[in-house]
Amino acid sequence: MKKIIVIYFTLFHLLAVGCSKSDKDAEQDPPQLTPIKVSELKTAGDRTYLEVDGKPFPILGAQIRLDALINCDKLTIQQIEPYFQRAKELELNCIQVPFWWNLIEQNKDSFNFDIVSSILGLANKYNIKLEVLWFGSNMIGDSFSYLVPRYILTNPDYRLKRDDEGTFWNYYGYRYSLKLDHSGLLERESNALVRLFDYIREWDDSNGNKRPVITAQIHNEPDGFVRWRLHQQNISNRNGTKLSNEQAWNMTLKALDVLGMAVKNSTYKVVTRTNLVSNDELKPYFEGTSISPRDVHQLAGIDFVSFDPYMSTINQIKKEVLAYKSLPKNYPLIAENKGSYSNTPSLMLTAVAIGGGYDIYDLITSKFFIDNTSADFVDQIDHGIYTWDLKEKPHTNPTRNLLKGLKVASYFVAKTSLENFACFNIKTDNPVNLLTQTVSTTGAMITYTTNNGGIGFGVDCGDFLLIYSTKTAQVHIDNGTVTAIEKGNFQEGTSTFNSTEAVNASQNFSLEANVLYKVNFTSSKNIISTTLINIGS
């Protein structure tokens, strides 16, 4: 149960709708549109998953650092459009895009949504959904001048004191720390968020009602405030009194709660989340036994807690996804993991099979970021699944091949419980070339044989199985009878199968690479699932 309830959002919404226009302007405004709910969480069996417009939607995305491309690389929207094209070519179903406070409200109550409009238009053009990342007052524990309006940063009532206050970082501008729970600050930031999502509602109504935005991330790695910045920069009140860990954490939580509720009180309602830096599963942070990811999960304004593992082994990913999955009704989304990991397909399949989603960080790393990183980080800063100049890396195509299969079977990928989601060739961090592996669901024993390092999955849907491999392979199915086999795909987000070719029904058959097989199957008896033990060691 969510325990923390925020009570003053209606006032924020009224302020958001009315405070930036004169009475004359307000009289000319069209009537406010009816609120819509675009996305929500659903739970079935051991899985909590996302529904978008009533359809199961496994998040399979990557981040485009719009803030860096505009503020640092100085790219135009026309120059950014090829990034969307690359995302579409990768078979992603969504893109994470930052919208930062200073982008839409540089001056108090003066809003500009031109860039927001352009990005929404690109999402519709390429038929790809957006996860909006709200980069506001807490960016990994900092408040930056590129992200937060000047009128906020220059208000002494909102400011904390820190050792490096006002110093410049060419990634994000001048550095400050704000009183995240200050009522005036929360009112202003909530006002901006409501205005943003109300604008998205209006834009969508005028552009085909395609519902391009599906989630809202509140702040970015907000636990960084108490875990690192508080002590690294000796952050205190302006009068010099120190903030305790608990005060800093409660400040962080209140901001997340209030801002999440602001999105919920807009006319364009989507699920809200934040992203925490992975620690050690759900264990309390070392800063205090009363500080842990579980506290965020209790907030009324945050629907689910996602996490940024930055881990490259299957066992690590397995452990973290299982931990965040254990939170009641939590969707265990990996919100950021390096796109430069060569075993990204195996890591992604691990997360999705267990019940999570996976966002690659990032699609293409900012050239400015690469050229201006610190000397000790120069060989690590390029996180992209593509190179900075939009070219493929050796693991780009293998990632695309897996994504294609997950995407065409998305309805069942999102909903099927772990015990009926078999994975092949991900017991080791990198697939082995020669492998024969048997994995049991609750109804079928599936033996997968590869001689070329393919990976794959088998989803037991009751009266049929879905089988997919990224490379050619052989399959043998036991514990029942195969009555029909078809190649094809499912209509997007539905259980309606479009058959492209029938295959001779047999317990043994060959898999073509990157083709989904629907196998009609009658199970002989219930058996013990071995799906989990066949993921990692």
Side-chain angles (χ1 to χ4, degrees), residues 504-516:
N504 290 334
S506 173
Q507 306 295 117
N508 300 281
F509 58 98
S510 299
L511 300 178
E512 294 179 23
N514 309 317
V515 173
L516 183 68

Side-chain angles (χ1 to χ4, degrees), residues 63-75 77 80 83 96-103 115 119 133-136 139-140 144-148 169-173 220 336 361-362 364-366 368-369:
Q63 189 169 150
I64 295 177
R65 283 298 301 268
L66 185 67
D67 59 318
L69 299 179
I70 289 177
N71 294 329
C72 300
D73 294 277
K74 308 299 182 183
L75 299 187
I77 291 297
I80 291 169
Y83 291 59
Q96 295 180 329
V97 176
F99 290 153
W100 55 103
W101 190 353
N102 199 40
L103 173 71
I115 290 177
I119 295 299
L133 312 182
W134 177 248
F135 284 7
M139 177 71 166
I140 326 175
F144 289 107
S145 63
Y146 285 1
L147 307 180
V148 180
W169 184 11
N170 57 5
Y171 279 20
Y172 300 113
N220 187 60
E336 295 181 18
Y361 183 90
D362 49 1
I364 298 160
T365 301
S366 155
F368 184 93
F369 277 14

Side-chain angles (χ1 to χ4, degrees), residues 452-512:
N452 52 26
I455 66 173
F457 62 85
V459 180
D460 186 342
C461 304
D463 54 358
F464 63 89
L465 310 173
L466 301 176
I467 311 288
Y468 183 89
S469 178
T470 60
K471 295 184 178 181
T472 57
Q474 297 291 317
V475 165
H476 175 77
I477 302 176
D478 271 331
N479 193 51
T481 304
V482 172
T483 57
I485 304 175
E486 297 173 282
K487 302 176 187 177
N489 54 70
F490 288 90
Q491 291 182 14
E492 186 175 355
T494 75
S495 58
T496 302
F497 187 72
N498 298 317
S499 177
T500 58
E501 182 183 344
V503 178
N504 290 334
S506 173
Q507 306 295 117
N508 300 281
F509 58 98
S510 299
L511 300 178
E512 294 179 23

